Structures are given as structure tokens and as C-alpha cells.
Amino acid sequence: LSFLFQTLRQLSQRTISTASRRQLENRVPEKQKLFQEDNGIPVHLKGGAMDVLLYRLTMGISVFG
């Protein structure tokens, strides 16, 4: 049992240390430009196909619920 905890602790430390070394690209300005664009699309649908899918699923559950 202690071996399992030690292994998990080593794995988590390794994952955290390697993740902190990676440089992530800052995409916030791109997203801000996309969401602030005046193109007639409601803001809750500007995220793309997944937003449309989640919106329709929510509306469907609301109507049939």
C-alpha cells in the first residue's frame, strides 16, 4: 500500500514538473477578438459547433423536460 502511494507521488511530481516547463501559447487576444466581433451571432454561440450543439441540447431538454 505504501509502495502505491510512493509511486503515485513520484508520478504526480514528474507530471507537474514537466507541465511547468512547457510553454503554452497565449490565445486570449485571439479569443477576445472573436467574441467581440460584431457579426450578428449571439455571444453564447460564437465558440463554434460545440456551443451550438450544447445550446440545442439544453433547449431540447428544457422543452421536453
Side-chain angles (χ1 to χ4, degrees), residues 16-32:
I16 291 170
S17 66
T18 57
S20 64
R21 280 188 241 145
R22 292 185 198 137
Q23 299 237 342
L24 298 177
E25 181 182 341
N26 184 8
R27 291 190 226 154
V28 172
E30 295 171 20
K31 292 289 185 182
Q32 284 177 335

Side-chain angles (χ1 to χ4, degrees):
L1 188 61
S2 66
F3 174 73
L4 177 63
F5 287 125
Q6 182 180 6
T7 305
L8 287 173
R9 186 176 66 216
Q10 287 174 351
L11 180 63
S12 67
Q13 287 174 348
R14 189 176 319 135
T15 303
I16 291 170
S17 66
T18 57
S20 64
R21 280 188 241 145
R22 292 185 198 137
Q23 299 237 342
L24 298 177
E25 181 182 341
N26 184 8
R27 291 190 226 154
V28 172
E30 295 171 20
K31 292 289 185 182
Q32 284 177 335
K33 194 179 292 185
L34 172 73
F35 281 90
Q36 291 176 355
E37 185 177 323
D38 187 19
N39 56 5
I41 299 174
V43 71
H44 59 277
L45 299 177
K46 285 190 177 186
M50 191 61 166
D51 282 352
V52 173
L53 177 69
L54 289 172
Y55 174 75
R56 289 183 180 164
L57 178 68
T58 302
M59 288 300 112
I61 290 171
S62 298
V63 168
F64 293 114

